[in-house]
Amino acid sequence: MTGVLPVTLGDATKVVQALLYSGKEYVCVMKLHKDASIEQIKKVLGEFEDNIYQRPPLRASVKRQLRTRRIYYLDLLETDGRKVLFRTGCEGGTYIRKLCFDIGEVLGCGAHMQELRRTRAGPFVETNSVILHDAAYSFMMWQEKNDETYLRRFIQPMERALDMIPNVHVRDSAVDALCHGANLTAPGVLSFESSVKAGSMIAVLTLKNEAVCLSKAIVNASQILNMEHGVIAKTDRVLMPRGTYPKGWKSDLKKDE
Amino acid sequence: MPRTAAPWEVKHEVLVKAEGETDPRFGCKPEERSATDLMKYGVINVDKPAGPSSHEVAAWVKRILKQEHVGHGGTLEAKA
């Protein structure tokens, strides 16, 4: 299994949550156990472009209970004898090995996964991935020669990982309160994406596009425009260090002085 | 079943609630961060080789880049 594996560094590790739930894309070689016609294969692949049920395989890192996963697309690319090459876009947490097995069952001939390459994990695509040797070289150039040009080419800001979850931009004055764990309230919101849904994860950003925190929305996008006060989202993971922006709220302590 | 758009095919519509400005004295655009901060708040899109597990690859990145913490988004099985 090769392909795109986003690795988060240091404090950015908190954004992996956003990546786990984002979609993935794979190219896969599936081996059929008996001959099948291209028409048959196409028809069956088409049937799997749907919500599918999967029980995680024996060797899995999650609880083995039946769960549904969305297959966005499943396109046949090539066949060579009993080998079938396809490309699929699917929800995070879909087991492709299981998918191949199930396709084989529906075809009636049996099948297994032979090779797999991930071509996308959320916003990260194959075309801008780097091999470990290059990563090591760029780091060495920075550490020993003080040359950061290579480093900048292969490390991406953590905000890139948030591209696919709904973004909400907030006022400077709201930022530090959020960094201290306060919930996002209506007056702080400047703009938001129409994809904000109650219960789903959102990314809260400054006008400079820096990530402030990951939050759980408690209202839908349609409600936000008309809200003058009240909580929009509950802060879940704070990404920005406290004190980056000045404190925007009044403290009772000052009154006493 | 009609084909549904994958998350990367969906266009996000931005709705503006209020106009605002940001003070240039505080914070910093992600692309203008210093190399040290970039490392601290960075993601590497690794092209995982065949053989080692995702956890091993993440551990290598941690050692190579002298990091205290690393995480990875989505396990890719170790062996074909």
Side-chain angles (χ1 to χ4, degrees), chain A residues 175-194:
Chain A
V175 174
D176 204 45
L178 292 167
C179 293
H180 280 78
N183 291 332
L184 177 63
T185 52
V189 176
L190 289 173
S191 67
F192 55 95
E193 280 174 339
S194 53

Side-chain angles (χ1 to χ4, degrees), chain B residues 7-65:
Chain B
W8 49 89
E9 294 167 335
V10 179
K11 290 271 177 291
H12 290 278
E13 189 196 350
V14 178
L15 301 169
V16 178
K17 186 170 191 287
E19 295 294 331
E21 291 179 346
T22 181
D23 193 327
R25 286 178 298 165
F26 309 109
C28 157
K29 286 182 186 167
E31 56 275 18
E32 289 169 7
R33 277 186 196 134
S34 69
T36 314
D37 277 355
L38 190 67
M39 292 279 293
K40 205 171 159 198
Y41 304 105
V43 182
I44 307 182
N45 181 4
V46 176
D47 188 343
K48 182 189 161 299
S53 70
S54 298
H55 302 274
E56 284 175 285
V57 171
W60 289 347
V61 171
K62 182 170 160 178
R63 205 176 63 204
I64 293 169
L65 303 185

Side-chain angles (χ1 to χ4, degrees), chain A residues 139-189:
Chain A
F139 185 68
M140 185 274 290
M141 285 296 276
W142 179 53
Q143 290 271 288
E144 292 174 15
K145 305 256 163 70
N146 220 1
D147 180 357
E148 55 182 59
T149 44
Y150 296 99
L151 196 75
R152 285 189 182 279
R153 218 171 289 162
F154 87 92
I155 299 188
Q156 304 185 43
M158 61 175 173
E159 283 77 3
R160 279 286 290 131
L162 309 175
D163 284 356
M164 282 189 189
I165 61 170
N167 288 181
V168 174
H169 284 85
V170 298
R171 288 180 201 280
D172 281 6
S173 53
V175 174
D176 204 45
L178 292 167
C179 293
H180 280 78
N183 291 332
L184 177 63
T185 52
V189 176

